[in-house]
Amino acid sequence: MATASARSSQPRFIRYGESALIIELDSLEAVHRAYAALTRAGVPGVVDLVPAARTLLVKMAPGEVDEAAVRHAVAAAPLGGAAKMTGELVEIPVVYDGQDLDDVAKLTGSSVDEVVSRHSEPEYLAAFCGFVPGFAYLTGLDERLHVPRLSSPRVRVPAGSVAIADHYTAVYPTSSPGGWRLIGRTSLQLFDVERGEPALLAPTTRVRFRPVRP
Amino acid sequence: MIEVISTGPLTLVEDLGRVGHAALGVPPSGAADRGSFRLANRLVGNRERAAGFEVTLGGFTARFDAPVTVAVTGAACDPRVDGVSVGMNGPVTVRRGATLRLHTPPRGLRSYVALRGGLDVRPVLGSRSTDVLSGLGPAPVAAGDKFLLADEAVHPVLVDLAPVPPVPRSSTLEVMPVLDGQRWFRDDDLHAMPAGDYVVGSDSNRVALRLGGRQIRSERRGEVPPSGLVPGAIQIPPNGQPVVFLADHPITGGYPVIGVLGTASQDTAAQLRPGDTLRLRFAS
């Protein structure tokens, strides 16, 4: 099989109902590049774009579906480029006293201090948002912290909870049900409709977590 | 000014939804049966995006302090002004001091009340819609709420009556297949889907219809990487029972999508009640 550097496979365009396309791409990088390209291109009729792990959803106004224009804009984008697509850096202060912190330490065979330092050391990248407004899936989690979700999700997770599951970490913007493991909390408002930019974390935002005392 | 006296099981303010913020995880929301909603606005001379009431299973009553032209569409709910039936799908002028009441529809689920000018409600992220999943937008309408009208009337009232067919007893929903999502499932299950009746579950709402019926079995473990969803997307979770997303769907989902309802079928889906049966017909 060809290595990723030798060849970037062509994006696949999949019809998704009467007014949408799903573009399947090779990597999160390629998703972000296609997302940037379509945002810049301003193709008439494109009303929303949803980047996700390996796909970009393109929603179009009914009757204004121009698949050729979308393909053209994506074809012109440097999907296999070397430089990372990144945005602003946001620092999130975290009190590391989450309900699942001890369990995570046990599951990963480490001390609580080690969990905290492994979580707060890297710079993360917001890959995409979903689940609830402002919930960004952050990539870059230390492999030693990869733990499965809870087998039974909580009915209610407090707003501002910092959590990990699989290979992602995230902050819950509002109180909601949740199946991720809670390791800390922040007082920052992740989503505020009154702000010009309502979401603190959007696709390509870079994130650091800073441990603080309660 | 309109004062709400009763709301029935659920009355919400809706318009055509939030557009342009999906990448932040903001669902589109808006009227679940968009066809009926847009018709109601056209009948009273509004822009199609003007805000109106989405009334679930009737029971909505409101008193009008000034004359207003209104129209009721969607599930037939015997709208009456001061006790006199005024009919569906046509503009009606409600006099000052009169009361409009929507009754429980015998079939269908959601009725729309458009008022000339549209409801004047503070927009959130460009829309006046209530999103029951994310909580964005106005709170559900409650008895005692008062509304003023906005300035979304853009043409005269031109039509007396729109011919709208009645809601059928059993529905066939047209599905545009997503072959990519279908590859995870057994061919014989997928081919059997159109022949089988599905039942709308009681846990259905504006987020999704939860269907009960023939299980669609996966060849592999259920999850796929999260991917964007659209209204009408039909997802198959691990229990094999289809989920049909509606207006308040979450932005991404982690289970395969095997098809997306056509636009007209999305409107039909928004009128299905728990216990209703339906079939899914896949376009070739």
Side-chain angles (χ1 to χ4, degrees):
Chain A
M1 179 177 152
T3 58
S5 59
R7 172 187 66 87
S8 191
S9 53
Q10 291 301 307
R12 296 175 58 222
F13 293 79
I14 299 158
R15 286 310 301 267
Y16 206 57
E18 289 170 4
S19 324
L21 291 172
I22 285 250
I23 309 174
E24 250 187 23
L25 295 137
D26 250 352
S27 64
L28 179 64
E29 259 313 293
V31 169
H32 285 169
R33 287 176 184 283
Y35 174 53
L38 278 170
T39 304
R40 268 194 313 267
V43 174
V46 172
V47 297
D48 246 323
L49 297 168
V50 183
R54 289 291 180 275
T55 57
L56 178 65
L57 169 65
V58 182
K59 289 184 67 172
M60 290 165 281
E64 296 184 50
V65 176
D66 188 349
E67 182 172 339
V70 171
R71 283 177 175 265
H72 186 78
V74 173
L79 297 181
K84 264 184 147 345
M85 286 273 327
T86 57
E88 293 185 7
L89 176 65
V90 170
E91 191 183 72
I92 300 184
V94 180
V95 175
Y96 280 96
D97 63 358
Q99 287 184 47
D100 301 321
L101 187 55
D102 288 336
D103 282 345
V104 169
K106 284 198 198 76
L107 275 170
T108 58
S110 43
S111 67
V112 164
D113 281 349
E114 282 167 335
V115 171
V116 172
S117 69
R118 284 169 188 163
H119 186 262
S120 56
E121 199 266 323
E123 181 181 285
Y124 298 89
L125 179 70
F128 56 93
C129 295
F131 178 57
V132 293
F135 185 97
Y137 292 74
L138 306 180
T139 57
L141 184 65
D142 190 314
E143 274 184 15
R144 294 166 292 184
L145 292 181
H146 288 193
V147 290
R149 296 175 202 209
L150 298 172
S151 49
S152 291
R154 288 185 169 87
V155 170
R156 190 182 164 278
V157 165
S161 294
V162 176
I164 59 177
D166 306 324
H167 52 276
Y168 293 111
T169 184
V171 183
Y172 283 90
T174 52
S175 171
S176 67
W180 293 32
R181 309 239 182 206
L182 309 182
I183 59 174
R185 56 190 162 93
T186 184
S187 54
L188 282 191
Q189 184 106 335
L190 272 290
F191 193 79
D192 181 356
V193 296
E194 305 296 336
R195 281 198 300 241
E197 301 280 351
L200 192 65
L201 308 180
T204 76
T205 303
R206 293 174 296 140
V207 183
R208 299 200 85 98
F209 293 101
R210 183 167 55 90
V212 297
R213 298 196 191 294
Chain B
M1 191 200 60
I2 298 101
E3 179 172 355
V4 175
I5 296 164
S6 67
T7 64
L10 182 66
T11 294
L12 302 173
V13 174
E14 297 294 340
D15 59 15
L16 288 181
R18 293 186 172 88
V19 172
H21 306 283
L24 304 181
V26 178
S29 195
D33 174 357
R34 290 169 75 89
S36 295
F37 180 81
R38 290 164 52 222
L39 172 64
N41 270 328
R42 290 197 303 274
L43 288 169
V44 300
N46 282 348
R47 285 192 184 91
E48 288 189 349
R49 67 154 200 240
F53 293 114
E54 179 178 89
V55 178
T56 301
L57 291 172
F60 172 81
T61 312
R63 206 177 61 92
F64 288 64
D65 279 3
V68 182
T69 301
V70 307
V72 183
T73 61
C77 54
D78 185 20
R80 298 190 189 185
V81 175
D82 285 346
V84 176
S85 287
V86 295
M88 298 284 298
N89 304 313
V92 173
T93 298
V94 181
R95 295 174 310 282
R96 178 193 316 275
T99 296
L100 169 70
R101 180 171 175 83
L102 274 54
H103 296 83
T104 307
R107 287 215 283 286
L109 186 64
R110 295 180 170 101
S111 308
Y112 293 94
V113 182
L115 304 91
R116 185 170 169 82
L119 294 173
D120 185 9
V121 165
R122 190 159 169 265
V124 170
L125 295 178
S127 166
R128 296 178 165 113
S129 289
T130 301
D131 178 340
V132 301
L133 182 66
S134 71
L136 292 178
V141 177
D145 283 354
K146 297 182 170 76
F147 292 88
L148 295 173
L149 296 175
D151 57 355
E152 306 271 25
V154 290
H155 62 76
V157 173
L158 297 166
V159 168
D160 288 330
L161 178 65
V164 175
V167 175
R169 285 192 186 284
S170 173
S171 305
T172 297
L173 301 182
E174 307 291 334
V175 185
M176 293 190 57
V178 176
L179 299 176
D180 215 67
Q182 291 191 344
R183 68 187 154 159
W184 303 117
F185 299 98
R186 294 173 49 147
D187 270 353
D188 49 355
D189 282 346
L190 289 173
H191 290 138
M193 275 183 96
D197 279 349
Y198 283 92
V199 178
V200 176
S202 58
D203 50 351
S204 303
N205 59 10
R206 280 177 49 88
V207 175
L209 299 183
R210 318 257 168 198
L211 304 185
R214 188 192 173 100
Q215 212 188 24
I216 311 302
R217 287 163 292 181
S218 175
E219 294 289 357
R220 48 152 273 171
R221 198 173 151 264
E223 275 191 47
V224 295
S227 199
L229 292 171
V230 293
I234 302 176
Q235 189 189 67
I236 309 294
N239 67 2
Q241 300 291 272
V243 174
V244 181
F245 285 109
L246 300 179
D248 287 351
H249 66 80
I251 280 297
T252 56
Y255 300 117
V257 169
I258 58 168
V260 179
L261 296 182
T263 309
S265 286
Q266 289 175 36
D267 293 343
T268 305
Q271 293 295 349
L272 293 174
R273 304 156 82 138
D276 281 351
T277 59
L278 63 111
R279 294 184 171 195
L280 299 169
R281 180 156 63 207
F282 288 81
S284 43

